[in-house]
Amino acid sequence: MSIKLNSKANAKLAQEVHINAHTLTTDIAIAEGGEDLGPSPHDLYDAALASCKTLTLMWYAKKKNINITHIDTRIERDDSQERQGIYKLAATLLVQGEFSDEEFAQISAVAEKCPVHKLMASVTTEITTKVERA
């Protein structure tokens, strides 16, 4: 799997992100010199956690026949200590449906185990970067 980016035509800094058949735009805020044409890289990072938690719960509920009808997920970011190596994300999931207290306990536990949560919190990610002339 590869993700490809290219400069967005007629934009200051924005990039078009191509993931399989999907295209989206990423940019930075106006105050940082961008045009705010799309979510920032930090926003996408945070959104990866939110979407993973939600999709994991929906997948688990379907697999276990737990009646979840809707999930609203919110991520609150505290990046005030990012330069010191601490980046805090608080996830809140509001789960609607008809399920027992036992089933609610199960889905609450599953929310802590989504793959992106694990990647962010317990895996060492090794990154290599190669910059080439065009």
Side-chain angles (χ1 to χ4, degrees):
M1 200 295 259
S2 71
I3 297 172
K4 297 180 182 177
L5 278 80
N6 59 278
S7 297
K8 185 170 178 66
N10 302 315
K12 290 180 183 178
L13 300 172
Q15 299 293 303
E16 289 182 337
V17 182
H18 304 277
I19 306 168
N20 299 323
H22 309 285
T23 302
L24 59 109
T25 300
T26 184
D27 198 2
I28 57 176
I30 293 169
E32 296 170 331
E35 297 171 275
D36 199 21
L37 296 175
S40 73
H42 278 81
D43 295 337
L44 295 172
Y45 182 83
D46 302 353
L49 179 65
S51 62
C52 186
K53 285 187 176 293
T54 303
L55 291 169
T56 298
L57 285 191
M58 294 300 286
W59 170 85
Y60 180 82
K62 184 175 182 175
K63 180 179 173 183
K64 297 293 184 177
N65 292 316
I66 299 173
N67 183 21
I68 292 177
T69 57
H70 186 80
I71 301 175
D72 285 324
T73 303
R74 184 177 70 244
I75 299 290
E76 296 291 332
R77 172 194 311 157
D78 177 356
D79 59 1
S80 62
Q81 298 176 38
E82 182 178 356
R83 290 183 185 259
Q84 291 78 37
I86 300 169
Y87 188 78
K88 296 178 183 177
L89 297 174
T92 303
L93 290 81
L94 181 60
V95 183
Q96 298 174 8
E98 294 184 25
F99 39 81
S100 68
D101 291 343
E102 180 182 327
E103 290 171 326
F104 183 72
Q106 290 173 11
I107 60 177
S108 295
V110 167
E112 294 292 325
K113 298 177 182 176
C114 84
V116 171
H117 183 138
K118 288 179 184 179
L119 278 174
M120 290 177 167
S122 62
V123 173
T124 299
T125 301
E126 296 180 4
I127 301 169
T128 60
T129 304
K130 182 181 356 176
V131 179
E132 300 175 332
R133 286 186 187 268

